[in-house]
Amino acid sequence: MISKWSASLVRAGRSVRGASAPVTYTLIALCCLVFLAGPASGLNPAYGTGDELLAVQRAYFRRWGVIPAELFDGSAGSALTPATALFVHGSWVHLLGNMLFLYVFGAMTEERMGRVQFTLFYVGCGYLALLGYAVANADSEQSLVGASGAISAVLGAFLYLFPRARVTSLLPFLFFLPVRFPAWVVLPFWAALQWLAAGRAADGPGVAYLAHLIGFGLGFGYASVRYGRPTGPTRVRAAPAPTPEGENQP
């Protein structure tokens, strides 16, 4: 699966090469650097191995991730965790899945919004998506990390701004054959999958689908209020996986 994503990333790069999207690329670089420097990557021998590494990882996620049961205790540290959690990922697959979606859809959205506005939009919507999940699961002790609340907001904004953009997708039930659909088909289908998955999700380790839905709704709503009519047809030559990796509950 990772190899498929890597090939998709190369194809996606051809579509946005030369685009003026420094914030998108900086966010990707920061997420990758944080992951490589942290214990989740497993590359730093200073964190140990085996049970020792797992203990360090759990402590790391609890420090920088969102713990709903502790978020509203009044401390400044807890209040900041919905922002810090946006740059922390639980595994290689989690990181690569999120960064692929940000790379494909972030550049065009940033170009439309502008650098400063896109930065505030990304962080603000990501924060609110995690906050909304925490409110709905206020008793959960599971740490929550990942950028896909913010990335889901980017998808929502992209849907409104570029509804007729042609998105090349790899669908598992078609044996990963590349097929092209407009964004107004692909992204609502993705949102529907998140809704169905959220209805079946149980409390505990896994993907926080509710944060995806909140982020997507915030992004679409913001773009519809802030901007006028959507732009004309655009082609996005990319091949994302069916869904991005979500906020992870290690």
Side-chain angles (χ1 to χ4, degrees), residues 4-19:
K4 289 186 177 67
W5 282 346
S6 299
S8 300
L9 193 59
V10 173
R11 289 193 291 272
R14 295 170 185 162
S15 67
V16 297
R17 185 171 11 188

Side-chain angles (χ1 to χ4, degrees), residues 64 81 112:
W64 300 110
T81 55
R112 178 69 176 86

Side-chain angles (χ1 to χ4, degrees), residues 113-207:
M113 290 185 174
R115 299 173 186 177
V116 174
Q117 188 175 164
F118 180 77
T119 302
L120 296 175
F121 165 80
Y122 181 91
V123 175
C125 288
Y127 186 102
L128 291 175
L130 292 177
L131 184 65
Y133 177 88
V135 170
N137 298 272
D139 296 329
S140 175
E141 295 283 348
Q142 293 290 335
S143 54
L144 189 67
V145 298
S148 59
I151 296 170
S152 295
V154 173
L155 297 184
F158 187 96
L159 173 60
Y160 182 81
L161 295 172
F162 310 103
R164 290 179 286 174
R166 305 293 292 185
V167 179
T168 304
S169 303
L170 297 178
L171 302 178
F173 55 82
L174 294 179
F175 303 100
F176 293 99
L177 293 175
V179 291
R180 290 214 335 257
F181 295 106
W184 66 265
V185 172
V186 175
L187 296 180
F189 176 72
W190 171 86
L193 291 178
Q194 306 308 296
W195 177 270
L196 292 173
R200 296 194 303 266
D203 184 40
V207 177

Side-chain angles (χ1 to χ4, degrees), residues 31 33-41 47 53-65 84 87-90 143 145 250:
C31 287
L33 288 174
V34 168
F35 180 78
L36 293 173
S41 68
Y47 292 117
L53 177 60
L54 291 176
V56 172
Q57 289 174 346
R58 284 193 293 269
Y60 178 78
F61 294 139
R62 291 190 68 84
R63 179 179 180 183
W64 300 110
T84 60
F87 300 93
V88 178
H89 290 82
S143 54
V145 298

